[in-house]
Structure formats: structure tokens, C-alpha cells
Amino acid sequence: GENVEQHPSTLSVQEGDSAVIKCTYSDSASNYFPWYKQELGKRPQLIIDIRSNVGEKKDQRIAVTLNKTAKHFSLHITETQPEDSAVYFCAASISNSGYALNFGKGTSLLVTP
Amino acid sequence: GAVVSQHPSWVICKSGTSVKIECRSLDFQATTMFWYRQFPKQSLMLMATSNEGSKATYEQGVEKDKFLINHASLTLSTLTVTSAHPEDSSFYICSSPGLAGASRNEQFFGPGTRLTVL
């Protein structure tokens, strides 16, 4: 079936540096691409999302870029802080599914002081 | 708005017993509810889609007779894990799409249920 690939699986950066996580998807009909932050034992928390008619979106320190032709999208976190440490998941909408999501395998981000 | 609650938050049961997980939309009508499963240190995997008043749609590899889904009202969907075994131990999360309009895609997740089968 359709899937979402996410890289890297782990990422360690120093506080203040930028972090970039990349995802590719295979379903050409996907039109919604959210990013989630998940802390251990808790529900995923939406941090930013982008729709297929937009190439880039920014919200303070967080930005997402989408290349529909290449079927990849990326999360950029600038000026990272220790509290950004968590697992991040990208996802892509599943076409003809009523808005269900296909998730990447996650990236464990560690921001060291 | 768009709050989803889930109960219980955690449950421990013996192998062979059944466990029911409830997912409620508190301030909106959830015509669709998605059920995901997340094994430790893994991603969320879609198990099934439930629609109010109709049969659930299961993803490939998910046994419909083992994971019974009922969506009898616009505010309640339930997942029953029948004859649970240790390999069913997981974090189960429900979610519902957002309200009409531009935010329709956004998912509202329940807090999850941690199931441990001994």
C-alpha cells in the first residue's frame, strides 16, 4: 500500500541550532501533510500542517516545505530549545479515506543544552 | 473546541479477556472516527475507520472479528479487543476529522489508551 518514509530516525542537535526532518510519500492524491510532536505516552500534538496548494508555511520557529512534484515535504525547526526534544511524526492524507492519515516512522529529536 | 476523550487511559487485563475502549467527541458530532494502534517506539498505524450508523472499514491485516468497532451515535465510538493476547499490548488512539471548511483535514486525537495484556 501507500507509505510515508521519514528520515532521520534520530537527530541530535545543540540548543540554538536548526533541525530538519524529511519525509517522502507515495500517494500522489495525498493533499494534506501534518507534522506532529509526541511526548511519551501522550497523544500526537499538531505543530504545523500544509495543504497541497501551498509550497511553504511558517509559524514562528517552525516551517514546513512541500514539493508535490517530488512528493516530499520537510520540517524545519530553528533556534531549537531543549523543550523541543520529542518524537516528531510526519503524515500524509490517505486518498478516498475520509481524511485518515498515513504516518512516517518518526524522528526522535534530542536538543542538548 | 473539537475535544476527543478516551476511556480508560490505561488497562491491564489477563490473556483471553476482552477489553472495551471508548472514544467520545465532547463538543462536536463525530460522524467518522479513526482508530490507530501504536506499538512501543513505533509509528501510529491506522487500524480501522468507523462511521456512525454503518459498519467499520478495516485496514489490511487487521482482524475485524478480533477488533470490534461500534459507532452507534455521533459522539461515541468503541473498540473492543476480544480475546486479548500479549501481542495486542499497545497504545490505542482514536481521532476524528475537524469540522467543516478549511480545517476539515485536521485530526483531533483522543489521549490514548495503554493496553497491557498479561
Side-chain angles (χ1 to χ4, degrees):
Chain A
E2 309 289 0
N3 62 358
V4 176
E5 300 285 336
Q6 183 172 346
H7 297 281
S9 55
T10 61
L11 180 59
S12 183
V13 300
Q14 283 206 310
E15 182 177 3
D17 288 349
S18 295
V20 179
I21 303 171
K22 299 183 178 183
C23 288
T24 59
Y25 61 98
S26 57
D27 185 350
S28 57
S30 293
N31 59 7
Y32 175 66
F33 308 91
W35 284 89
Y36 293 94
K37 176 183 181 182
Q38 189 181 31
E39 296 176 357
L40 192 62
K42 299 198 172 177
R43 77 186 90 193
Q45 175 192 356
L46 178 70
I47 57 171
I48 197 166
D49 58 11
I50 193 167
R51 287 178 172 78
S52 58
N53 58 347
V54 176
E56 184 173 355
K57 184 177 178 180
K58 188 174 181 180
D59 182 5
Q60 299 183 333
R61 297 188 295 112
I62 296 172
V64 56
T65 58
L66 170 65
N67 183 327
K68 279 223 76 178
T69 304
K71 291 189 210 166
H72 65 69
F73 55 114
S74 300
L75 176 71
H76 303 253
I77 306 174
T78 58
E79 300 171 36
T80 53
Q81 301 164 3
E83 49 266 38
D84 293 330
S85 298
V87 179
Y88 291 80
F89 292 97
C90 63
S93 59
I94 302 172
S95 53
N96 302 318
S97 71
Y99 309 100
L101 297 172
N102 214 347
F103 284 82
K105 293 194 173 185
T107 296
S108 178
L109 173 64
L110 176 64
V111 181
T112 54
Chain B
V3 177
V4 176
S5 71
Q6 201 169 329
H7 179 82
S9 54
W10 60 270
V11 56
I12 301 173
C13 69
K14 292 183 179 180
S15 186
T17 60
S18 294
V19 174
K20 180 186 280 189
I21 300 170
E22 294 185 345
C23 186
R24 294 181 185 272
S25 56
L26 299 185
D27 54 1
F28 69 102
Q29 293 184 330
T31 55
T32 299
M33 195 72 78
F34 301 113
W35 287 94
Y36 295 88
R37 177 169 55 184
Q38 185 176 29
F39 292 111
K41 297 189 178 181
Q42 294 190 28
S43 187
L44 285 80
M45 296 293 294
L46 180 66
M47 297 176 65
T49 301
S50 74
N51 292 293
E52 187 266 337
S54 62
K55 287 185 178 180
T57 304
Y58 291 82
E59 295 301 303
Q60 193 172 10
V62 178
E63 301 174 56
K64 63 179 181 180
D65 294 331
K66 181 171 182 61
F67 298 99
L68 301 179
I69 291 174
N70 184 283
H71 195 153
S73 80
L74 288 171
T75 58
L76 175 64
S77 177
T78 61
L79 168 68
T80 301
V81 183
T82 62
S83 187
H85 287 92
E87 57 265 30
D88 298 322
S89 298
S90 188
F91 193 50
Y92 293 86
I93 312 177
C94 60
S95 78
S96 186
L99 305 177
S103 64
R104 192 70 179 92
N105 282 120
E106 184 176 352
Q107 298 290 314
F108 295 93
F109 287 88
T113 297
R114 170 73 59 193
L115 170 64
T116 301
V117 185
L118 302 176

